């Protein structure tokens, strides 16, 4: 059995176990150099935290294992198409490759697709619908420079 198959089957196994535990059908396995660093299932049903996705959990666990916020050279195997939040987290920590078994199109009939979120983000942060606005008090200055002097 191909290495990719082993890791993806494990992600799917985690997702199925999560369904049995009352959760959503999402599991993730984070791998580096052919070895599993972390694996996790979606935890929203238990934590009530909408960001408690399998990929995010696996990233947090792998970062703790490596004692680093950088996960360069790692890959993620996910049961479902990663949402924009999870994909952004992968980019931010240096993960350059992710594999998924089920697409947003597969998820759509079950209300699990994040395609609409991707579409909204594609409009850009300056789009009126983004809800993102800058507001800095008139006397505020130097926050980033303060950080830069400490690092």
């Amino acid at each position: 059995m191909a290495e990719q198959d082993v890791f993806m089957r494990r992600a799917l196994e985690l997702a199925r176990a999560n369904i049995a535990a009352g959760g959503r059908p999402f599991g993730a396995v984070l791998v580096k150099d052919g070895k599993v660093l972390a694996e996790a299932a979606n935890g929203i049903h238990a934590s009530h935290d909408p960001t408690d996705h399998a990929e995010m959990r696996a990233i947090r666990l792998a970062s703790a294992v490596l004692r680093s916020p950088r996960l360069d050279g790692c890959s993620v195997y996910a049961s479902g198409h990663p949402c924009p939040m999870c994909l952004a987290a992968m980019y931010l920590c240096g993960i350059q490759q992710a594999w998924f078994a089920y697409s947003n199109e597969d998820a759509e009939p079950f209300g699990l697709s994040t395609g609409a979120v991707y579409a909204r983000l594609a409009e850009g942060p300056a789009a009126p619908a983004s809800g993102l606005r800058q507001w800095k008090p008139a006397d505020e200055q130097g926050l980033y420079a303060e950080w830069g002097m400490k690092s």
Side-chain angles (χ1 to χ4, degrees), residues 140-148:
E140 175 56 39
Q141 61 184 357
L143 178 66
Y144 293 161
E146 182 180 331
W147 177 84

Side-chain angles (χ1 to χ4, degrees), residues 7-98:
F7 299 137
M8 187 58 78
R9 287 184 186 282
R10 180 61 183 149
L12 292 165
E13 186 178 297
L14 291 165
R16 286 193 165 92
N18 205 45
I19 292 170
R24 296 178 183 200
F26 300 111
V29 176
L30 201 147
V31 176
K32 183 171 187 175
D33 299 327
K35 292 184 173 58
V36 174
L37 286 181
E39 57 182 41
N42 184 289
I44 292 174
H45 66 290
S47 67
H48 309 290
D49 175 353
T51 68
D52 201 1
H53 293 195
E55 299 92 335
M56 297 296 285
R57 290 178 126 195
I59 287 169
R60 290 179 190 121
L61 290 168
S63 292
V65 167
L66 294 178
R67 300 177 54 95
S68 173
R70 298 298 307 168
L71 297 177
D72 300 285
C74 293
S75 297
V76 171
Y77 294 82
S79 60
H81 190 288
C83 76
M85 173 187 67
C86 292
L87 185 59
M90 289 180 215
Y91 290 161
L92 287 169
C93 70
I95 294 171
Q96 295 177 336
Q97 190 169 48

